[in-house]
């Protein structure tokens, strides 16, 4: 049985909405949703070792990577202890990001889901939300998928979150 669903996509691609829909679709089994925003929000101030550029770029340093490694290990420990987890992630480091998760989740049944969205649509959503660094959505829309392997890929450009969640839920074993 699937223990973890990892959703990878750029900022404002629709991962959080899909995660909430998955929680509903996969009930009555409780699925926790944890994501990179959960980690960043838990950090003091604007984050430890993470910087957001005026152009929407994100850079992380060794302090962030150290805390991130502990966080990933904690998420994996919860899954090993019996929790079902939907991870809402942004693989800024490409394949190296996925490999960090693969290593931590070794031995667990993981479903890897790519969440794509047209860069212009993601940028529009980013502006509408008003709480994102301008330019982040467009810069991440394609780059976070380079070199990543998935079990399923959905596109939120024209599809609702529930439709995408149903596609992903159909792959849950």
């Amino acid at each position: 049985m699937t223990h973890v669903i990892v959703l990878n996509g750029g900022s404002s691609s629709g991962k959080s909405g899909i995660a909430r829909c998955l929680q509903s679709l996969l009930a009555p089994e409780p699925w926790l949703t944890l994501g990179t925003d959960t980690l960043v929000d838990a950090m003091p101030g604007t984050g430890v070792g993470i910087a957001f550029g005026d152009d929407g770029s994100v850079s992380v340093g060794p302090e962030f990577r150290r805390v991130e490694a502990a966080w990933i290990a904690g998420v994996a420990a919860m899954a090993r202890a019996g929790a079902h987890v939907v991870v809402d992630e942004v693989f800024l480091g490409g394949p190296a990001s996925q490999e960090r998760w693969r290593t931590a989740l070794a031995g667990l049944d993981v479903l890897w889901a790519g969440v794509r969205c047209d860069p212009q649509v993601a940028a529009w959503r980013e502006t509408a939300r008003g709480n994102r660094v301008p330019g982040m959505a467009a810069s991440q829309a394609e780059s976070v998928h380079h070199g990543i392997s998935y079990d399923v890929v959905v596109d939120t450009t024209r599809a609702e979150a529930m439709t995408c969640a149903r596609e992903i839920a159909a792959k849950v074993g």
Side-chain angles (χ1 to χ4, degrees):
M1 175 163 185
T2 303
H3 297 96
V4 180
I5 300 169
V6 178
L7 304 175
N8 175 54
S11 178
S12 299
S13 64
K15 298 178 308 295
S16 298
I18 291 171
R20 285 189 299 277
C21 291
L22 282 168
Q23 287 177 308
S24 174
L25 289 170
L26 298 172
E29 185 68 43
W31 283 75
L32 303 175
T33 298
L34 301 167
T36 193
D37 288 343
T38 310
L39 171 62
V40 172
D41 289 346
M43 292 183 170
T46 58
V48 175
I50 186 168
F52 301 96
D54 291 338
D55 62 351
S57 62
V58 180
S59 58
V60 298
E63 303 91 7
F64 179 85
R65 289 289 181 224
R66 184 178 54 76
V67 173
E68 179 192 45
W71 182 75
I72 290 171
V75 172
M78 287 191 298
R80 283 193 179 81
H84 290 85
V85 183
V86 178
V87 177
D88 177 341
E89 186 56 272
V90 181
F91 288 165
L92 293 175
S97 295
Q98 186 174 35
E99 188 55 35
R100 282 191 287 277
W101 279 101
R102 277 192 199 281
T103 299
L105 299 171
L108 294 169
D109 188 356
V110 180
L111 179 70
W112 300 91
V115 179
R116 294 189 165 277
C117 184
D118 178 87
Q120 291 177 322
V121 172
W124 178 86
R125 291 176 185 167
E126 173 184 79
T127 300
R129 289 175 79 169
N131 64 349
R132 299 287 175 173
V133 176
M136 188 181 296
S139 70
Q140 294 175 359
E142 296 297 327
S143 65
V144 300
H145 298 290
H146 293 173
I148 306 300
S149 59
Y150 298 113
D151 299 307
V152 60
V153 176
V154 296
D155 190 328
T156 66
T157 303
R158 290 177 196 82
E160 295 292 324
M162 185 58 84
T163 301
C164 294
R166 282 188 184 110
E167 283 184 58
I168 295 167
K171 301 287 185 179
V172 172

